[in-house]
Amino acid sequence: MRDHPIHLAIFASGSGSNALRIIKYFSASLKFKIALIISNNKNAGVLAHAPEHQIPHFFWPKNQLSNSEKTLELLNNFQIDGIILAGFLAKIPEYLVNVYQDKILNIHPALLPAFGGIGMHGMYVHQAVSQAAVSVTGPTMHVVNEDYDAGRIIFQCRVPIAPKTSADEIAQQVLRYEHKFYPYIIERYFRHFCSKSDK
Ligand code: GRF
């Protein structure tokens, strides 16, 4: 049995609304700790939220992320068990996927494998969904492997969309479900995963 909480790191690049939900969800948890925040964007919302929650946070640009020694040292210093991507707009290097095999989760704002892959992020996804005039979209939560948006899917939920809904409206609707489910799915995934691997 573990005698310390599961330490998670959040990687985020954008406004950080999912990151903030995750931070708040686990703030009183005895089993989980958001132990580190990393962003490749100096102006990311998540870096602004981190101090008030007293979470160590680092601006970590691409050249740092591709430096395996430095990045693993940072993650080891904070005893990171798992990594949560929440709007992180950089490819996770292969060394990290290997070291954290099955322990990196991502959220994608469409029903993968549809509307995924290189270049499909943020509003590009919702614009494509709107143009394709599909009747349903929704967030996907998946394990990260070496290919974009291609790891094992652990959760999806269907969000019906009315004809002619704009990309902005679709984004808002999907984001509501991301906020509602991502923290809970993270908890469920890592609780199960870590208790199994600790036996
Ligand atoms: C979300 O839509 C998420 O699905 C995608 O990036 C967006 C991040 O939004 N990967 P926020 O920064 O959490 O507000």
Side-chain angles (χ1 to χ4, degrees):
M1 281 292 284
R2 307 174 67 89
D3 58 358
H4 64 88
I6 294 167
H7 283 196
L8 299 177
I10 297 178
F11 288 19
S13 309
S15 69
S17 68
N18 276 290
L20 190 57
R21 294 289 168 138
I22 296 164
I23 291 167
K24 287 187 173 162
Y25 184 86
F26 289 114
S27 63
S29 173
L30 298 176
K31 295 206 168 107
F32 288 86
K33 181 174 174 179
I34 304 302
L36 176 67
I37 290 174
I38 279 180
S39 182
N40 60 343
N41 171 11
K42 259 196 198 105
N43 304 314
V46 73
L47 293 181
H49 295 312
E52 69 187 275
H53 297 279
Q54 293 161 352
I55 302 173
H57 51 286
F58 294 85
F59 166 54
W60 206 254
K62 202 175 167 190
N63 62 326
Q64 300 270 71
L65 190 66
S66 54
N67 184 326
S68 57
E69 217 170 291
K70 277 194 169 182
T71 303
L72 291 175
E73 188 187 349
L74 180 71
L75 296 171
N76 287 336
N77 283 346
F78 292 95
Q79 297 176 281
I80 298 302
D81 298 301
I83 298 172
I84 307 302
L85 309 184
F88 188 62
L89 296 181
K91 188 147 192 318
I92 297 301
E94 213 171 303
Y95 76 84
L96 211 47
V97 174
N98 291 334
V99 173
Y100 282 88
Q101 189 85 51
D102 289 326
K103 291 182 178 172
I104 309 178
L105 295 188
N106 182 40
I107 186 164
H108 183 81
L111 295 172
L112 292 173
F115 305 106
I118 296 175
M120 273 293 179
H121 57 84
M123 284 310 292
Y124 294 113
V125 176
H126 302 301
Q127 277 153 9
V129 167
S130 175
Q131 276 159 22
V134 292
S135 60
V136 65
T137 186
T140 299
M141 292 151 210
H142 67 93
V143 178
V144 172
N145 66 11
E146 45 293 318
D147 299 316
Y148 276 113
D149 300 329
R152 183 165 62 86
I153 291 171
I154 54 172
F155 178 86
Q156 291 185 303
C157 80
R158 294 162 65 86
V159 179
I161 40 178
K164 298 192 180 150
T165 307
S166 71
D168 280 340
E169 287 166 324
I170 295 172
Q172 281 172 27
Q173 289 173 24
V174 172
L175 196 61
R176 270 207 294 277
Y177 287 88
E178 296 189 12
H179 291 167
K180 182 170 177 189
F181 289 113
Y182 201 21
Y184 167 72
I185 295 300
I186 292 165
E187 181 179 33
R188 203 181 65 173
Y189 181 81
F190 279 102
R191 187 148 63 189
H192 172 70
F193 194 95
C194 290
S195 63
K196 250 170 75 177
S197 63
D198 275 359
K199 274 180 191 162

